[in-house]
Amino acid sequence: RHELAVKAARRRARRTEAIGQGPHTRKKQYHSLLAPPQHQQIETSSPTVSANMGATLDKFMTIEEVPEEWRSLDVTVGGPIDAGTFCDNGVRTYKYNLVNFFPKSMFEQMRRTANQYFLLICIMMFLGTYTTWFYSPLTPWSTFLPLMIILLVTMAKEGFEDVKRHQSDKRVNNCDATILSVDPGDAPGTVQTLRRKDLRPGHVVVIGDREEIPADLILLWSSEGPQAYVETSNIDGETNLKIKKPALIDDEPIIQSPETAKNTQLSSTFEPPCGRVHTFEGTLKANEQSIPLDATQFLLRGSTLRNTKKALGVVAYTGRDTRLVRNSRDVPSKLSELERVVNMMVYFILFAMIIITTISMIAYVVWFSGHKAHLWYMCYRYNSADVPALFRENCESSDNYAPGSTWPTFFILYNNFVPISLYVTIEMINYVQASYIDNDLEMYDDEDDVPALARTSNMNADLGMIAHIFSDKTGTLTRNIMEFKKCACAGQIYEKGATLRGKVASSSVERDLVEIMAVCHTVVPDEDGYQAESPDEEALVKGAAELGMKFTARSTEGVEVDGKRYLVLATIPFNSTRKRMSALVQGPDGKARILCKGADNIMFGLTGKDSFKRFAGGRPALDDCLQQFSRVGLRTLVLGRRDVSRSEKDKFLKAWRAAETATEDRKGKLAEAAALIERDFEIVGATAIEDRLQDGVPETIHELAKAEIKLWVLTGDKVETAINIAKSAKLLTDDMFLVKLPAEGATKGPEGDWGLGAQLTALEAVVQRAATPDPAAVSARSSLQESTLREPLDDDPQRTPASLASDHLALVVEGATAMETILGNEELEQRFLKLANVCKAVVACRVSPAQKRLIVGLVRRKDTTRPVTLAIGDGANDVGMIQEAHIGVGISGKEGRQAVNNSDFAIGQFRFLKPLLLKHGRRNYRRMSKVIVYSFFKNIVLTFVLFYYQADCGWSGTSFYEAWVYSGFNFFLAFTPLAFGWFDVDTSAETVRKYPRLYAAGLHRMDLNVTNMAYATLEAVGASLLIYFVTRQVYWRPQNVWAHRGKDGDLWVFGTAVFVGMVNAMLLRAALLVDSWNKYHVYFFILQFIALYTFIMFMSEVWPTRSVDWFLDYDYYGVAFHSFELGVYWLLTFILVPVACAALQLLVVGVHLEFFPNVNDIGRELDHGHVDGESLEHSRRGAFVPLRSKYSLHGLVDRCLGRPAQQKPDLVTQDSIRSVSDSLGPGRAAQIGLAATPESGFDYSHAADQSFHAPSPVSASGVI
């Protein structure tokens, strides 16, 4: 995306220079959530751009770019317009047309490595068949046609989807739009209707109530006077109404009505097209006066006019230039972890294929050298005197191939090493698995009528491999339904009630606080109550109404509270950088005041010498009140005000109006103007708002923790608020010790790192000391370990044995200090990750949206264990981390649908994350792993059988499979993988809910990794040896075994017997792999038998006439009849070969289950009630699980070998931490940021299911 931006900048620079103007450059800082990581670079060959841009992106993606020129538009209302070079208003979302569909779609398909591979094989087959370069043992059509079918099916799917885009575009573009007539002869106020795609800049559009705005407009007139209301849910998902103001001259609209608008002269200059939906800059000239334009006069295409009967707006941008289209972007393409592993396996298989191809060629050369003298009948040394003349004549006209040409021959022969149907099978399985998620009633939110939605089907299996979850707090863990609960005023804390209401009724500081709540906001009243841009504002306005100051009306001039009118002279809006909102108002008493509300750390920085004189006890008392609010998990805002003199008011308004009309650096000038008046606030108090936890959050977090998934909570709240919410949500428990970065009381220091370097060094030493095993504990553990099974996770090769972990450490990190220092510092990043991996949970406070994205990217890219990450959120500020994580989950919440629109999966509540991961994720991972390993297994068997046959045919590269039968191998075994992926259930959902640790199957990559693939390859080699040589021994005396009515066995009879026996063996293997049978499995197996025998009989019993001789082989005619009439054939292919392979499979499975069982095997035994002993232990303290009787075979082997299975010292226990803390002393522990979790004064779990009961933890005593 950034490369395209740079290319566009180059084109603009060249165009600007061509007309004789210097390339006007502007420095732009990308704070976008979608900005790529800082290590990415932009390279350009343009000297002008590169001189200003530089070669490397800095931390905030600062680059020099050449923007488009500002646009100028001159309009005479009711007169003809000059569209100039502007684009039309049509929207095109389709990808293909009739001309480019085939080449462009084919190009897209060829981007897949497997398709490229099989296309290369087809080309080699054609060259080997129709040239004399080398010999192709297979007809090219046997691979080319299946490949074309696969490509055409996929292309047809894309074409069908694109047709729907064409139809959607046609419907949108042909919708009616109403404009003021552009015919000078029409009467004033006359309207005309045209298609939406025919709108051009300069048209004056008439919009009615609840009509969608057809293009980006500048608002000229509203039937509601100096204001209009729009809803932008189609753009950002927010359903709250937003106030818009028409362009005004002396507080009057330029146009008084549609009837008087004719012949009005308008001249506007505004910014070039861009994707920013919340800002707009421009200037409108009318009646020789300039009017500043900003976002309040700008109506976005796609938004809807509400609570306004009619409005007029002049078109500014059309079609692809509109904000909606410019802002439209695809969710970043993500390669699933499963696809990455499959690619590794493909490379592994290709490497093995190259090896056996080379071995075959070498064997051919060696064999040929030793037998060349006896091969005159194959045209070798046919010029010898003893060779008959007939052979000499035939050989002189035959093809001769060089010995080296056998390498491509063998490469073609072994092409089925990679299953051609694998990717199609995976796509079909992914589609059905996604439908399971979409239709799961367990994840249906009946309260808001929101079902689960799989927006990206290729990430289904990755849901079973999640190691880290990054969660927003507000609206994700909490309900985002705010309620005003308390306030701090005059040194006291007031509950919402009669006492506070009585104080507000009189003239007091309490009244001043509630006045700010009722006046300083952007809330709009409507028939249903209030429409607010954020739930906090709505809660404060409702709270003020309950306390006797009810907000009742809003106009462009001001607001009305309890019948009293407040003139709003200027509003300085809230944003994530300012973290405050201010309003300059003139009260009923005629005095001008600046009212402000914001985060405490921001407001305290805007105070003066006597700012706390009205708060009894001053700043310390207010800090204490804020701490009390935070301890019970309430969200806090500090409120302030100041009387403003007339001269200061006039000075500010002059600067503010000038900044609003500025055409350059408007944002900076607005900030400078705001600084003139946002100072020396008189602090009147603080508010506390409650945001309850969602239902089921504590138990969901508890179960995910038992599944060994690490949860990160990333929030902008204060440290104390975040800690207490985390305790209420059971993320932090009373037996945990907190590590705080930076330590309390830390200063920035001379190095500017808040002492983090020294603190991390000290914490690493503490963790290492705590990880040292206690000899007494080891002795006690050894007695427990006798006759028990070692922890299954320790068997996983992907797990690092020396890694440290603790269930009793939690990390709390502050964004504005610690994360600001850590991010970008390579050494601190690695040390931070090392500490975070030890801790059970991480809470990051005061983090910005950009820091959320960077934290997710840090764990995803720099954690050496390569964890699969998941980010979940509900608002626009979560989009960055949702797109950065491997898997993004959006919650359909109160903050719009931007998170959902940018996610891979969407759910209605946080609690649905449990079934999404533990049920669907684990099941999808296990199913897909089985499908992939089985698909490779059967093709390895197929290829190695051909490899063995080469030793019996002089390494000539001959296939003893008929070409079409050979190419149909994957089709004959296509339905069993589908049955695995669609229906197989290894462990019931109830068992997984009871034992969340069974999720470790995917978390530790137990089923699908290169090691397992190597083991499967070895077993496939063994199975192929049995299939080939058992059948070969039966054929060793063909005259004795196969002679029947004068017939004899040949190459095709032998090959058919091997092939059918192999297919039956693979079907039996699949049957033994099925964990849960149903009728569909039976149907699929029967269907595959029918397909196999129908195809073989067709190929061998239909006489190849001239019209189909390219398809049917003369040599194969009658083979099926000759084979099927013999009883020994059925004995061999249905019993002997399949049973031999099944015996090998059962032997391998039996040894694995008895000596090397893992957590998956334990789960199946638990599911069927076949495990004796204690149940599966979930805590990592229980590293050894007594699952079998001490008299079992594996226990006997362990005792004979003298291996009592001693535990590695990789767990940091609560006792070991307490022991180290005692040796440090309280003072030193506080210096390095180590402390016990504070007691929570408020139980947030009251909003959750009361049936949840967490296990009673052992409380950590004292503060370290």
Side-chain angles (χ1 to χ4, degrees), residues 658-671:
E660 286 185 319
T661 58
T663 57
E664 293 186 4
D665 192 24
R666 179 180 297 181
K667 185 181 295 184
K669 292 179 180 179
L670 287 172

mmCIF file of all heavy atoms in Angstrom, residues 658-671:
data_model
loop_
_atom_site.group_PDB
_atom_site.id
_atom_site.type_symbol
_atom_site.label_atom_id
_atom_site.label_comp_id
_atom_site.label_asym_id
_atom_site.label_seq_id
_atom_site.Cartn_x
_atom_site.Cartn_y
_atom_site.Cartn_z
ATOM 1 N N ALA A 658 -9.282 32.183 12.824
ATOM 2 C CA ALA A 658 -8.210 32.196 11.827
ATOM 3 C C ALA A 658 -7.653 30.798 11.605
ATOM 4 O O ALA A 658 -7.340 30.415 10.473
ATOM 5 C CB ALA A 658 -7.097 33.152 12.282
ATOM 6 N N ALA A 659 -7.528 30.030 12.672
ATOM 7 C CA ALA A 659 -7.027 28.659 12.535
ATOM 8 C C ALA A 659 -8.022 27.798 11.775
ATOM 9 O O ALA A 659 -7.635 26.941 10.963
ATOM 10 C CB ALA A 659 -6.748 28.059 13.920
ATOM 11 N N GLU A 660 -9.317 28.023 12.008
ATOM 12 C CA GLU A 660 -10.333 27.233 11.307
ATOM 13 C C GLU A 660 -10.331 27.514 9.809
ATOM 14 O O GLU A 660 -10.652 26.626 9.015
ATOM 15 C CB GLU A 660 -11.720 27.527 11.883
ATOM 16 C CG GLU A 660 -11.964 26.911 13.254
ATOM 17 C CD GLU A 660 -13.391 27.137 13.721
ATOM 18 O OE1 GLU A 660 -13.903 28.260 13.515
ATOM 19 O OE2 GLU A 660 -13.997 26.206 14.275
ATOM 20 N N THR A 661 -9.970 28.734 9.433
ATOM 21 C CA THR A 661 -9.971 29.084 8.018
ATOM 22 C C THR A 661 -8.605 28.918 7.372
ATOM 23 O O THR A 661 -8.455 29.194 6.178
ATOM 24 C CB THR A 661 -10.429 30.548 7.835
ATOM 25 O OG1 THR A 661 -9.543 31.410 8.576
ATOM 26 C CG2 THR A 661 -11.855 30.731 8.320
ATOM 27 N N ALA A 662 -7.626 28.491 8.136
ATOM 28 C CA ALA A 662 -6.276 28.326 7.587
ATOM 29 C C ALA A 662 -6.273 27.220 6.552
ATOM 30 O O ALA A 662 -6.931 26.183 6.714
ATOM 31 C CB ALA A 662 -5.280 28.021 8.700
ATOM 32 N N THR A 663 -5.538 27.429 5.485
ATOM 33 C CA THR A 663 -5.438 26.414 4.428
ATOM 34 C C THR A 663 -4.186 25.564 4.550
ATOM 35 O O THR A 663 -4.048 24.576 3.852
ATOM 36 C CB THR A 663 -5.454 27.095 3.048
ATOM 37 O OG1 THR A 663 -4.381 28.041 2.981
ATOM 38 C CG2 THR A 663 -6.784 27.804 2.821
ATOM 39 N N GLU A 664 -3.269 25.967 5.433
ATOM 40 C CA GLU A 664 -2.050 25.196 5.661
ATOM 41 C C GLU A 664 -1.862 24.990 7.155
ATOM 42 O O GLU A 664 -2.059 25.915 7.952
ATOM 43 C CB GLU A 664 -0.828 25.920 5.073
ATOM 44 C CG GLU A 664 -0.830 26.013 3.558
ATOM 45 C CD GLU A 664 0.464 26.611 3.028
ATOM 46 O OE1 GLU A 664 1.361 26.875 3.848
ATOM 47 O OE2 GLU A 664 0.559 26.821 1.811
ATOM 48 N N ASP A 665 -1.453 23.792 7.514
ATOM 49 C CA ASP A 665 -1.171 23.430 8.902
ATOM 50 C C ASP A 665 -2.322 23.837 9.823
ATOM 51 O O ASP A 665 -2.118 24.431 10.873
ATOM 52 C CB ASP A 665 0.141 24.070 9.358
ATOM 53 C CG ASP A 665 0.627 23.484 10.689
ATOM 54 O OD1 ASP A 665 0.244 22.339 11.000
ATOM 55 O OD2 ASP A 665 1.376 24.182 11.415
ATOM 56 N N ARG A 666 -3.534 23.541 9.405
ATOM 57 C CA ARG A 666 -4.691 23.928 10.214
ATOM 58 C C ARG A 666 -4.671 23.235 11.576
ATOM 59 O O ARG A 666 -4.982 23.854 12.600
ATOM 60 C CB ARG A 666 -5.983 23.597 9.476
ATOM 61 C CG ARG A 666 -7.233 23.963 10.271
ATOM 62 C CD ARG A 666 -8.498 23.631 9.516
ATOM 63 N NE ARG A 666 -8.604 24.411 8.287
ATOM 64 C CZ ARG A 666 -9.636 24.321 7.449
ATOM 65 N NH1 ARG A 666 -10.612 23.475 7.702
ATOM 66 N NH2 ARG A 666 -9.676 25.048 6.352
ATOM 67 N N LYS A 667 -4.276 21.969 11.596
ATOM 68 C CA LYS A 667 -4.268 21.240 12.859
ATOM 69 C C LYS A 667 -3.311 21.880 13.860
ATOM 70 O O LYS A 667 -3.631 22.045 15.042
ATOM 71 C CB LYS A 667 -3.883 19.777 12.612
ATOM 72 C CG LYS A 667 -3.961 18.912 13.846
ATOM 73 C CD LYS A 667 -3.542 17.483 13.550
ATOM 74 C CE LYS A 667 -4.495 16.819 12.591
ATOM 75 N NZ LYS A 667 -4.152 15.392 12.379
ATOM 76 N N GLY A 668 -2.127 22.241 13.402
ATOM 77 C CA GLY A 668 -1.165 22.870 14.302
ATOM 78 C C GLY A 668 -1.650 24.220 14.806
ATOM 79 O O GLY A 668 -1.466 24.560 15.983
ATOM 80 N N LYS A 669 -2.266 24.997 13.934
ATOM 81 C CA LYS A 669 -2.750 26.316 14.341
ATOM 82 C C LYS A 669 -3.924 26.196 15.312
ATOM 83 O O LYS A 669 -4.075 27.022 16.218
ATOM 84 C CB LYS A 669 -3.134 27.123 13.110
ATOM 85 C CG LYS A 669 -1.923 27.500 12.257
ATOM 86 C CD LYS A 669 -2.310 28.294 11.017
ATOM 87 C CE LYS A 669 -1.070 28.653 10.208
ATOM 88 N NZ LYS A 669 -1.397 29.404 8.980
ATOM 89 N N LEU A 670 -4.761 25.187 15.114
ATOM 90 C CA LEU A 670 -5.852 24.969 16.074
ATOM 91 C C LEU A 670 -5.302 24.606 17.443
ATOM 92 O O LEU A 670 -5.825 25.058 18.470
ATOM 93 C CB LEU A 670 -6.777 23.868 15.559
ATOM 94 C CG LEU A 670 -7.688 24.227 14.378
ATOM 95 C CD1 LEU A 670 -8.397 22.985 13.867
ATOM 96 C CD2 LEU A 670 -8.699 25.293 14.780
ATOM 97 N N ALA A 671 -4.256 23.794 17.469
ATOM 98 C CA ALA A 671 -3.642 23.428 18.749
ATOM 99 C C ALA A 671 -3.035 24.654 19.429
ATOM 100 O O ALA A 671 -3.129 24.826 20.650
ATOM 101 C CB ALA A 671 -2.578 22.353 18.527
#
